[in-house]
């Protein structure tokens, strides 16, 4: 009796990894987001000049985290039914799964923040977003896109006006919800756009081509707004929402004049710099993220063999991101800061090699396994059981 020997793990992985139902292009885009955020944290970059290729690494600032947020929305759509809206009877189980996922990711983010690195850890927001989107899971793609558009166009100006009228309040809750590096009110626009993209089957070539066109159009509008407004360097969101609080009500009128509500609104509309939180940045960098996702989907077919290591990295973004932050803490020490393109390159190579090897030998990343296990236990759903059946939202 003859036996057929199984191919070695590496050969089997090469032929099977990234095949349907997994979408290889999305993993590639996540891998780029991770490497981009690492560059934003530790890279040495010069101000972007479109005519100087040596400055193009500056594109990682702000745009990498926005790409990560849009992909979070796509992932939420995929894990809740892809192009199928969840049935009402499945919603209680689904809510618990998302709460479980969000809680674990939030706690991992807190642990990374305790390392006291200069990195603005995005995972705490990432975890909260899993909970924040629960009321919108059954929204049609067009509703999600309208909500994203309203948040992108109106939220920055309204938040800037509110900040000026209240004399720029501070506090943990205010920073998280309104004016921090990753305010939920602004970043929900990216997640809503990603959810709509996932519902519209971004893995289809025609959908990806339309997404690419929409992304380029948004880049033209957003970055065009920045040019028209003459904003060249606003820096962080504090350029819009910053200022000193008033000493008391007796000085409110003077402080209000100093806060310049009208100027704050104008800056909020035209602010285009990374993490400025302006409409121009949301539209331009959001369009950049859509373009990157579309290109990754379109290129993942013809360039599959070349892109597999990057896709392996993107298949375990939580683990890779955490390893990167820990490595920065180990090298810089508590409260330390450094920047080095050599270390950025070493980080990229190490992550690509380690995640590829892990994917070949073990499959899912370790923290991804943990998050999935907690989500399943929260909802008492067997890990291998499909999450959602329901009504399709596309033809």
């Amino acid at each position: 009796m003859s036996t057929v020997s199984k191919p070695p793990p590496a050969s089997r992985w090469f032929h099977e990894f990234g095949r349907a139902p997994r979408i290889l292009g999305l993993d590639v885009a996540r891998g780029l987001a991770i490497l981009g955020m690492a560059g934003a944290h530790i890279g040495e970059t010069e101000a972007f000049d479109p005519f100087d290729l040596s400055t193009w690494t500056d594109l990682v600032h702000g745009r990498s985290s926005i790409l990560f947020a849009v992909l979070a929305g796509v992932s939420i759509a995929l894990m809740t039914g892809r192009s199928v809206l969840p049935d009402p009877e499945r919603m209680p189980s689904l809510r618990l799964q998302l709460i479980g996922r969000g809680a674990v990711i939030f706690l991992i983010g807190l642990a990374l923040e305790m390392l006291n690195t200069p990195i603005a850890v995005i995972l705490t927001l990432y975890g909260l977003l899993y909970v924040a989107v629960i009321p919108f899971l059954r929204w049609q793609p067009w509703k999600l896109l309208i909500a994203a558009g309203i948040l992108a166009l109106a939220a920055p100006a309204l938040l800037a006006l509110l900040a000026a009228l209240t004399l720029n309040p501070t506090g943990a809750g205010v920073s998280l919800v309104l004016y921090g590096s990753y305010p939920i009110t602004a970043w929900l626009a990216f997640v809503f756009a990603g959810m709509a993209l996932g519902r519209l089957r971004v893995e289809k070539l025609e959908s990806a081509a339309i997404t690419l066109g929409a992304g380029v159009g948004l880049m033209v509008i957003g970055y065009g707004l920045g040019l028209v407004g003459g904003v060249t360097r606003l820096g962080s969101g504090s350029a819009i929402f910053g200022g000193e609080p008033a000493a008391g009500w007796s000085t409110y009128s003077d402080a209000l004049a100093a806060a310049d509500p009208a100027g704050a609104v104008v800056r909020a509309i035209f602010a285009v710099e990374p993490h400025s939180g302006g409409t121009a940045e949301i539209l331009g960098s959001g369009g950049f993220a859509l373009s990157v996702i579309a290109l990754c989907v379109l290129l993942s077919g013809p360039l599959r063999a070349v892109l597999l290591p990057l896709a392996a990295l993107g298949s375990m973004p939580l683990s890779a991101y955490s390893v990167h932050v820990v490595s920065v803490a180990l090298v810089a020490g508590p409260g330390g800061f450094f920047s080095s393109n050599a270390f950025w390159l070493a980080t990229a190579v190490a992550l690509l090699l380690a995640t590829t090897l892990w994917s070949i030998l073990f499959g899912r990343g370790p923290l991804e396994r943990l998050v999935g296990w907690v989500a399943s236990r929260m909802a008492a759903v067997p890990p291998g059981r499909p999450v959602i059946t329901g009504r399709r939202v596309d033809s």
Side-chain angles (χ1 to χ4, degrees), residues 33-106:
I34 294 295
L35 296 182
M37 286 190 289
H41 299 155
I42 59 176
E44 298 173 323
T45 61
E46 299 179 16
F48 176 67
D49 180 352
F51 303 105
D52 185 355
L53 290 178
S54 66
T55 67
W56 281 36
T57 54
D58 189 56
L59 292 175
V60 300
H61 292 286
R63 298 168 185 84
S64 300
S65 53
I66 288 175
L67 174 59
F68 201 53
V70 175
L71 287 166
V74 176
S75 297
I76 290 170
L78 296 182
M79 72 176 64
T80 57
R82 294 181 177 251
S83 59
V84 176
L85 294 179
D87 290 330
E89 59 268 22
R90 296 302 305 275
M91 286 300 295
S93 172
L94 183 57
R95 292 188 192 102
L96 290 174
Q97 290 185 61
L98 291 178
I99 290 172
R101 286 180 177 273
V104 176
I105 295 172
F106 182 84

Side-chain angles (χ1 to χ4, degrees), residues 6-17 357 359-362:
K6 293 183 178 180
S11 176
R12 187 167 64 251
W13 178 86
F14 182 83
H15 289 289
E16 296 178 359
F17 179 74
L357 183 61
S359 182
I360 291 172
L361 297 178
F362 306 109

